[in-house]
Amino acid sequence: MSKVLIVEDEGIIRSALRRLLERNGFQITEAGTVPEAREKLAEQPFDLIISDLRLPGEAGTELINQETPVLIMTSYASLRSAVDAMKQGAVDYIAKPFDHDEMLSAVNHILNQYRRQQLPTATLANEEATEKPIGLQGMLGESAAMQAVFQQIKKIAPFNTRVLILGESGTGKELVARALHNLSPRHKSPLISVNCAAIPETLIESELFGHEKGAFTGANTSRNGLVEAADGGSLFLDEIGELPLEAQARLLRVLQEGEIRRLGSVESRKVDIRLIAATHRNIKTLVDQGKFRLDLYYRLNVIELELPCLAEREDDILLIAESLLKACCERLNKPMARFSKSASNALLAYSWPGNVRELENRVERAVILADDTLIHAEDLELPQAIQQPKKANFATTASQQTAEALTLPAEKSSDPAHLPSDDLSLEDYFVRFVQENEDQMSETELAKKLGISRKCLWERRQRLGIPRRKASTSR
């Protein structure tokens, strides 16, 4: 059982946090000030210290040392305080208000990371060797559907066979093609990727097969095509369903004879390529409509590999979102952010018609627009009309999804009437505090007392159904 020391001068928050952690199997010791915390540390060792930043007398950062990891809490939620705490050695930072799942996630992450740092190298290597693989060549997936795809890729890659990848836009067809190439004997040769839908129909043949000087107006020099450039390696034709019929006939000859003839040339050249094609369209329907050659379809479709859409990979959504969030924060040079419980539930409830590509765009937008390092559901700006509950345990009310631990002002924390009961959620404190004080305080004062911005206060009023009271004319 992990031992956690909570250092918080607000009795209401300290006791609520204690109950939360004890219910989840942690052994808790409390302190109200830094000197009191030092006395507790002298009596016994702890696995983690959770300390408020602003404490009477000395700041919570005074507890940072090399032996016990420190998680800093602050109601001020400012980037400056977070950066300062991290620079001084805090292992993580969590801004008030926070929900239960957010706190538990941070605590478990720190303890697991700290435990792994203490393990001998050999033990750690053995643990990593026995862990279930969750990715392949940059693709992530714990779901059964993606694990099956990974197994297919490993089986197919070593052989010089043609592959037709099917799947909706944004499911990662190019990543699969790259994995097939990288795991093949051709990995030291180039992989040439071509989006057939992005090249004008009048230029597609020249781009793919090359041309001789004077072959058409504007052809001032001879030029190699992309098929020739892939000689010895792999050629990936994305959206092959958009390829014009004339170009399909030329491609068929490449596959049948292993040779290519440039536009305007009478000579053929031998090429050795592995062809990987992909499309989001139904090729059989295109064949029936006369838009795709049947003989080319049979040449391409030696092995068919179908990718599941993101809506069919519920177990992977949060895994991918977390990975994208980390990469996005690093790329944009932003502080490392986390998803709140409401954001996680929103991610799981959305149908993701744009698949992983849409998820990546939503995460990047949220990182840029979020007020702090905690991303809420509203930061993702997901269309409400397309959200739908997928599992019974996610069919919670809006208030349940956005339950967050909020701090009451210090002057009320000593009043027993305001101390929480075991059945009172921390979300109720927000509701009660706002309703009790909105007649005496302005919105700015309310937000300041709660340690949040006015915008955040307004958004939580909307989510929890607490409209602002109109000023009474009698006063």
Side-chain angles (χ1 to χ4, degrees):
M1 181 181 291
S2 297
K3 297 180 180 179
V4 179
L5 173 62
I6 299 174
V7 189
E8 168 64 67
D9 60 318
E10 297 284 352
I12 187 173
I13 296 300
R14 192 170 65 241
S15 58
L17 187 54
R18 175 183 187 131
R19 284 195 301 275
L20 169 66
L21 296 176
E22 285 181 338
R23 283 197 302 267
N24 286 272
F26 296 98
Q27 183 177 329
I28 304 302
T29 302
E30 298 179 33
T33 63
V34 170
E36 186 180 349
R38 289 197 181 104
E39 293 177 5
K40 304 292 185 182
L41 288 166
E43 294 172 1
Q44 61 175 314
F46 290 91
D47 299 301
L48 174 65
I49 299 171
I50 303 176
S51 176
D52 192 12
L53 180 62
R54 307 279 179 123
L55 293 167
E58 299 177 82
T61 50
E62 295 297 322
L63 295 170
I64 295 173
N65 57 53
Q66 299 294 324
E67 299 175 1
T68 307
V70 177
L71 170 63
I72 291 291
M73 302 183 294
T74 175
S75 60
Y76 293 84
S78 67
L79 177 60
R80 182 181 299 276
S81 61
V83 171
D84 290 344
M86 298 296 279
K87 282 182 177 179
Q88 294 180 58
V91 293
D92 205 350
Y93 156 85
I94 189 167
K96 298 176 184 176
F98 48 81
D99 62 30
H100 291 179
D101 293 279
E102 180 196 356
M103 173 59 78
L104 290 173
S105 175
V107 169
N108 285 319
H109 174 74
I110 293 170
L111 290 174
N112 289 335
Q113 189 176 44
Y114 186 70
R115 182 189 67 83
R116 291 173 69 84
Q117 290 175 354
Q118 307 306 311
L119 288 176
T121 304
T123 304
L124 188 59
N126 289 336
E127 282 194 359
E128 292 176 348
T130 57
E131 287 180 355
K132 180 182 177 181
I134 60 172
L136 179 71
Q137 293 287 309
M139 296 178 288
L140 293 177
E142 292 181 316
S143 63
M146 282 309 294
Q147 288 294 319
V149 169
F150 295 158
Q151 290 300 318
Q152 284 183 293
I153 291 173
K154 292 175 183 178
K155 289 180 179 179
I156 298 168
F159 301 99
N160 190 33
T161 187
R162 292 183 285 276
V163 182
L164 179 60
I165 306 171
L166 305 177
E168 296 179 6
S169 295
T171 51
K173 296 187 289 294
E174 185 168 355
L175 288 175
V176 172
R178 192 168 298 279
L180 289 169
H181 174 76
N182 290 341
L183 296 175
S184 76
R186 295 172 177 261
H187 66 276
K188 293 183 179 180
S189 299
L191 168 67
I192 304 297
S193 299
V194 184
N195 189 329
C196 299
I199 304 175
E201 187 171 338
T202 54
L203 298 178
I204 188 71
E205 288 189 71
S206 173
E207 289 292 319
L208 286 178
F209 309 108
H211 61 260
E212 296 291 347
K213 181 178 180 181
F216 51 85
T217 303
N220 299 320
T221 59
S222 297
R223 181 182 175 185
N224 291 344
L226 295 172
V227 175
E228 208 169 338
D231 189 20
S234 303
L235 176 67
F236 173 52
L237 295 182
D238 197 8
E239 299 302 343
I240 197 170
E242 308 298 329
L243 199 63
L245 289 170
E246 294 81 1
Q248 291 179 30
R250 284 181 170 271
L251 181 61
L252 182 62
R253 179 172 179 80
V254 173
L255 300 181
Q256 287 177 334
E257 308 296 335
E259 60 183 31
I260 186 175
R261 191 168 67 207
R262 296 179 182 176
L263 294 180
S265 174
V266 294
E267 296 181 357
S268 296
R269 301 166 185 260
K270 287 290 185 181
V271 289
D272 174 25
I273 63 169
R274 179 188 189 178
L275 183 66
I276 304 171
T279 182
H280 74 283
R281 304 184 65 178
N282 190 318
I283 292 288
K284 293 180 180 178
T285 300
L286 294 177
V287 170
D288 294 338
Q289 295 173 349
K291 296 179 181 179
F292 201 88
R293 295 178 62 109
L294 182 61
D295 49 2
L296 179 58
Y297 170 68
Y298 285 129
R299 284 285 179 179
L300 290 173
N301 194 22
V302 177
I303 293 182
E304 189 175 284
L305 204 162
E306 186 167 1
L307 300 184
C309 63
L310 190 56
E312 298 171 349
R313 302 169 53 190
E314 292 180 6
D315 295 340
D316 297 337
I317 292 175
L318 294 183
L319 175 69
I320 297 172
E322 293 286 354
S323 176
L324 291 173
L325 180 62
K326 180 180 178 182
C328 186
C329 290
E330 292 175 352
R331 186 176 71 253
L332 299 177
N333 197 26
K334 298 270 285 183
M336 196 56 62
R338 289 190 296 268
F339 292 113
S340 69
K341 183 63 175 179
S342 65
S344 297
N345 286 342
L347 290 169
L348 291 167
Y350 187 55
S351 61
W352 297 111
N355 295 294
V356 179
R357 187 179 294 119
E358 182 185 9
L359 175 59
E360 183 176 13
N361 292 340
R362 294 286 177 183
V363 169
E364 182 170 345
R365 178 185 294 133
V367 169
I368 295 172
L369 298 180
D371 290 332
D372 51 40
T373 56
L374 181 63
I375 293 177
H376 298 282
E378 60 269 22
D379 297 320
L380 295 167
E381 297 184 0
L382 296 174
Q384 296 296 320
I386 312 180
Q387 292 195 33
Q388 55 188 15
K390 295 182 180 295
K391 292 183 179 179
N393 59 323
F394 294 133
T396 56
T397 64
S399 62
Q400 287 173 323
Q401 291 177 348
T402 56
E404 293 171 342
L406 289 160
T407 309
L408 284 177
E411 58 265 30
K412 290 197 174 185
S413 64
S414 59
D415 184 354
H418 293 281
L419 290 177
S421 67
D422 287 337
D423 297 327
L424 187 62
S425 74
L426 292 174
E427 176 193 75
D428 295 327
Y429 305 152
F430 173 83
V431 176
R432 186 177 64 188
F433 177 71
V434 171
Q435 290 176 340
E436 289 179 354
N437 294 279
E438 61 184 344
D439 289 335
Q440 294 81 32
M441 295 183 184
S442 66
E443 291 296 286
T444 300
E445 290 171 330
L446 281 173
K448 184 176 180 181
K449 285 290 185 182
L450 292 168
I452 58 179
S453 66
R454 281 192 52 154
K455 175 178 178 289
C456 193
L457 173 61
W458 180 84
E459 289 168 347
R460 290 191 176 112
R461 276 182 177 274
Q462 302 304 307
R463 293 203 307 268
L464 299 177
I466 318 172
R468 292 181 60 179
R469 292 179 185 173
K470 295 182 179 179
S472 175
T473 55
S474 62
R475 289 189 297 176

